[in-house]
Amino acid sequence: MNAAPIVVVGRSTAGCAAVRELRALGHDEEVVMIGADPDGSYSRPPLSKHVLDSDDGMSSRWDLSDLGITELNSAATRLNTDSKIVALADGTDVEYGTLVVATGADARRLARVDQAGELVVRTHDDARVLRSRLDAASSAIIVGAGFLGMEIASACVRRTIETTVVDVDPPLERVLGRFLAAAIAERLAENGGSMLRPAGPVTLSGSPVDGIVLPDRTVLHADVVVSCVGEVPASDWLDGTGVADRDGVGIGEDCSTSVPDVFAAGDVTYFREPSRYPRRGPFWSNAVAQGRVAAASALGAAARCAPVDDYFWTEVLGLSIKAVGPLPLVGEPEILTGSVDDASALLRWAHPDGRKTLVAYGLRMSVGKLRALAGAEQGQG
Ligand SMILES: Cc1cc2nc3c(=O)[nH]c(=O)nc-3n(C[C@H](O)[C@H](O)[C@H](O)COP(=O)(O)OP(=O)(O)OC[C@H]3O[C@@H](n4cnc5c(N)ncnc54)[C@H](O)[C@@H]3O)c2cc1C
């Protein structure tokens, strides 16, 4: 009798990295991949960068047909870790020998249960819906000035929509620090957008949603209101198993969970203490790195890479910003080349522990080159 297969639940960045790594490591037995998104396997970063302009931006669908895996298109609804069964919404029970949880996250929402029409961008379908709303909009409010909010605000100002970004903190400050946040806020203003910094959290008005309510109860209306306020690990299907808690799936540096034969990767995870890494890093390159580590661990092999990759990028207001090295950034950088005012600079931050972060701000530079430069910097550290 054949051993039960490795089952990967979630077929986006982390899940696809895991199945590719399983095959790269020579695992030629059955692999089952379970996915819930009717649009299949695709990378999310283009959704807020190019797909809001046109569907041609959606070139990053992944074709896994060369891997010889079994793909099941139905949501996992329950896990039984005693019988080692994943139950699917379509009634199928899938037995696993080893399980990789890669169900990512859902957009965090602000709407009350009685409020309809909240816009978020997490899936291809969300991006399509927002694009068609933007086609008819002349004003937009973006709640949240993280990378997602700023990318969506960029799409709005490109369309000359009157755009207001609302956040208690300056744009991207929680990741890129005060220095770049100030430069990005200035650029938002230059591009015709505005930043509103209320004293506290805002709520949504109307149903369907038609605006926001500020802490002082002032209501601001816009044709389009988009919530970009973070993500919530997609772990409901693991309830009662001990695999997940309210923060998601706790993992060790080998991507093992607290339950035998269950590994996890990507946005659904956080590092259990103690770890030398930040607790959570819901970024694309971390999902790839963890997918690969989870696959190696599922095979009982030592991983060839770390479960965290220190590369992050975004595209804001016509600028590409690439960072290699620890985040968040604090304090002033050293300007190695160019100038921030001219929107083309190579910047270096030195961290108290001696590590460095290099940022290509609007500067044309490949990831490979930036990584090589950052590697040389750490050597000097
Ligand atoms: C619009 C957008 C832009 C982004 N841009 C950047 C960027 O520029 N740079 C960067 O570093 N990061 C970016 N990110 C973050 C990055 O995309 C995520 O870190 C990455 O997608 C995480 O991959 P994942 O596979 O862990 O989770 P996800 O991408 O969330 O994928 C999880 C998959 O699991 C499926 N799933 C969920 N529940 C179930 C279930 N019960 N049963 C079966 N399947 C299930 C989902 O349908 C989905 O396909 C962006 C994210 C978004 C939303």
Side-chain angles (χ1 to χ4, degrees):
M1 200 179 84
N2 285 339
I6 296 179
V7 172
V8 177
V9 186
R11 58 173 176 197
S12 180
T13 309
C16 291
V19 294
R20 287 207 179 282
E21 187 71 357
L22 287 171
R23 292 302 190 228
L25 291 172
H27 181 71
D28 57 7
E29 291 169 31
E30 188 184 9
V31 173
V32 177
M33 193 176 205
I34 296 168
D37 191 326
D39 281 306
S41 297
Y42 55 87
S43 186
R44 291 180 205 284
L47 299 179
S48 49
K49 299 176 180 68
H50 315 298
V51 177
L52 294 180
D53 297 332
S54 120
D55 232 358
D56 300 344
M58 203 58 208
S59 54
S60 46
R61 284 180 191 283
W62 290 309
D63 179 5
L64 304 173
S65 57
D66 59 323
L67 298 179
I69 61 171
T70 305
E71 286 190 69
L72 302 178
N73 303 314
S74 182
T77 51
R78 236 180 27 259
L79 172 68
N80 185 325
T81 54
D82 296 326
S83 55
K84 299 180 92 171
I85 298 243
V86 179
L88 305 191
D90 67 4
T92 312
D93 282 346
V94 182
E95 193 184 353
Y96 67 87
T98 307
L99 179 68
V100 177
V101 175
T103 43
D106 299 317
R108 194 160 88 75
R109 288 169 184 273
L110 292 175
R112 300 184 311 264
V113 281
D114 60 341
Q115 276 182 308
E118 181 177 20
L119 294 170
V120 295
V121 178
R122 183 77 202 176
T123 65
H124 192 192
D125 198 44
D126 293 336
R128 277 192 292 246
V129 169
L130 177 57
R131 192 177 64 220
S132 76
R133 289 286 302 276
L134 292 179
D135 286 345
S138 55
S139 61
I141 292 175
I142 314 298
V143 184
F147 74 85
L148 183 57
M150 291 310 294
E151 289 178 359
I152 293 170
S154 305
C156 294
V157 296
R158 269 199 303 277
R159 289 168 174 257
T160 64
I161 291 173
E162 187 193 327
T163 304
T164 307
V165 181
V166 181
D167 198 315
V168 289
D169 292 321
L172 281 158
E173 188 180 86
R174 288 180 291 269
V175 180
L176 297 180
R178 251 187 220 176
F179 178 85
L180 284 181
I184 292 165
E186 210 175 298
R187 205 169 162 85
L188 176 65
E190 282 163 13
N191 280 267
S194 59
M195 180 81 208
L196 178 67
R197 293 185 52 203
V202 303
T203 53
L204 301 179
S205 65
S207 183
V209 171
D210 60 2
I212 58 167
V213 185
L214 299 175
D216 67 2
R217 302 204 161 265
T218 309
V219 179
L220 301 180
H221 291 286
D223 297 335
V224 166
V225 180
V226 193
S227 303
C228 303
V229 290
E231 64 291 306
V232 189
S235 56
D236 287 0
W237 65 284
L238 301 167
D239 281 355
T241 61
V243 173
D245 56 32
R246 52 183 299 195
D247 295 334
V249 180
I251 57 168
E253 292 184 12
D254 60 354
C255 290
S256 61
T257 69
S258 53
V259 173
D261 300 322
V262 181
F263 298 86
D267 282 10
V268 75
T269 70
Y270 68 90
F271 281 111
R272 291 193 304 257
E273 302 302 336
S275 169
R276 71 192 113 144
Y277 302 115
R279 195 159 186 268
R280 254 177 80 64
F283 301 133
W284 190 90
S285 52
N286 283 343
V288 173
Q290 287 175 14
R292 295 176 63 198
V293 170
S297 297
L299 296 178
R304 293 176 297 184
C305 65
V308 164
D309 184 331
D310 59 4
Y311 172 58
F312 167 81
W313 85 100
T314 182
E315 286 173 27
V316 174
L317 301 159
L319 286 185
S320 147
I321 304 174
K322 296 175 182 167
V324 175
L327 295 173
L329 302 174
V330 179
E332 300 273 316
E334 193 180 335
I335 299 176
L336 300 181
T337 58
S339 119
V340 171
D341 287 345
D342 293 341
S344 176
L346 182 62
L347 309 168
R348 176 172 61 202
W349 271 261
H351 299 278
D353 63 2
R355 290 181 299 167
K356 314 247 171 59
T357 298
L358 281 193
V359 174
Y361 177 82
L363 183 75
R364 279 178 170 272
M365 184 176 284
S366 71
V367 188
K369 173 107 189 276
L370 192 62
R371 277 190 197 279
L373 284 174
E377 291 284 339
Q378 309 306 355
Q380 284 166 21

